[in-house]
Amino acid sequence: MAQLLVMSSASDPALPSLELLAHRVRTIPADPAELVSAPPADLLVLDARTDLVAAKSLCRVLTATGLEAPLLLVVTEGGMAAVGADWGISDVLLTTAGPAETEARIRLAVGRGIGGAPEPVRVQTSGLTIDESSYSARLRGRPLDLTYKEFQLLHFLATHPSRVFTREQLLSEVWGYDYFGGTRTVDVHVRRLRAKLGESEQLIGTVRNVGYRFNVAEDESETVPS
């Protein structure tokens, strides 16, 4: 059980799923001065749902002043695209995340500690560039207007080129174990992704009666640190 300190000025919970977990949680206003009298914590959770500019500034202040605990940022899906590596956070989590995903993110962030977050990855293959640090994707220089889940799905497939995944595996890896929808949602997102890829829709291949894979020749793929 971890000691969590939530920094939020909103009246509603930033991360409702926390109420279903056994961690000890204390909420304080989103002001660095409040940390002076705050109890020690294993993880700091910052609510960035309503003011991304202020949240980014606060993240930089916290990391610049020697924050000793990992910093987990909570955002809405619309705010996810604004988060970058320069924020200095350990991880980012949607406010709608379920208990299983929230528990996993907390466990991993606390386990890694400060500075232990994995280095963002940039994938470049077949005219497609996917930048994990900025949650952006481009096809031959053209920006792809992807939702967060579409980005996650494309990024996951592209970082495992030619490997076939069942719909159930994709639900687990991209949507999380706590997702209660059916495998049909994978088909829907694949169809939307292909539409946005246009003439390059064949990058996402279908393996009959099995699932999907990212179609790219092994010698054409490159995954490099961002």
Side-chain angles (χ1 to χ4, degrees):
M1 181 170 61
Q3 305 277 355
L4 308 182
L5 193 60
V6 179
M7 300 188 73
S8 175
S9 298
S11 57
D12 59 321
L15 203 54
S17 57
L18 275 181
E19 300 176 2
L20 302 175
L21 302 177
H23 302 296
R24 294 177 181 175
V25 181
R26 178 173 176 179
T27 301
I28 63 174
D31 184 338
E34 295 289 331
L35 290 173
V36 176
S37 57
D42 299 311
L43 178 71
L44 190 62
V45 180
L46 177 59
D47 181 4
R49 294 173 298 165
T50 59
D51 193 337
L52 286 168
V53 174
K56 181 177 182 179
S57 177
L58 184 53
C59 284
R60 288 179 168 177
V61 170
L62 292 173
T63 53
T65 53
L67 179 66
E68 296 181 356
L71 179 58
L72 180 65
L73 191 71
V74 178
V75 298
T76 62
E77 184 164 348
M80 185 68 76
V83 182
D86 60 334
W87 287 49
I89 60 175
S90 302
D91 205 350
V92 62
L93 192 61
L94 289 174
T95 186
T96 54
E101 181 180 359
T102 300
E103 174 65 29
R105 297 293 184 103
I106 291 172
R107 183 177 68 253
L108 292 172
V110 172
R112 287 192 300 258
I114 292 295
E119 190 175 6
V121 169
R122 184 177 68 252
V123 179
Q124 294 176 300
T125 179
S126 303
L128 185 66
T129 301
I130 307 173
D131 191 345
E132 187 183 24
S133 65
S134 62
Y135 291 93
S136 64
R138 291 176 174 270
L139 181 61
R140 297 182 180 84
R142 174 177 62 87
L144 295 176
D145 184 16
L146 305 178
T147 66
Y148 179 58
K149 284 303 179 186
E150 288 169 353
F151 174 85
Q152 281 190 309
L153 179 59
L154 181 61
H155 182 270
F156 180 78
L157 289 172
T159 51
H160 300 83
S162 302
R163 179 177 170 182
V164 181
F165 292 93
T166 66
R167 292 167 177 81
E168 290 77 11
Q169 287 175 316
L170 291 172
L171 275 178
S172 173
E173 295 291 344
V174 178
W175 280 263
Y177 287 102
D178 58 315
Y179 182 76
F180 296 107
T183 56
R184 174 63 178 166
T185 192
V186 176
D187 298 326
V188 171
H189 279 73
V190 166
R191 186 171 67 249
R192 291 173 179 170
L193 265 179
R194 283 172 170 162
K196 293 179 179 181
L197 289 171
E199 295 181 356
S200 298
E201 64 175 357
Q202 74 281 354
L203 287 175
I204 301 179
T206 300
V207 179
R208 197 178 195 85
N209 299 324
V210 181
Y212 298 103
R213 68 182 175 196
F214 189 84
N215 286 330
V216 58
E218 187 174 338
D219 59 353
E220 292 181 356
S221 63
E222 178 186 6
T223 302
V224 297
S226 178

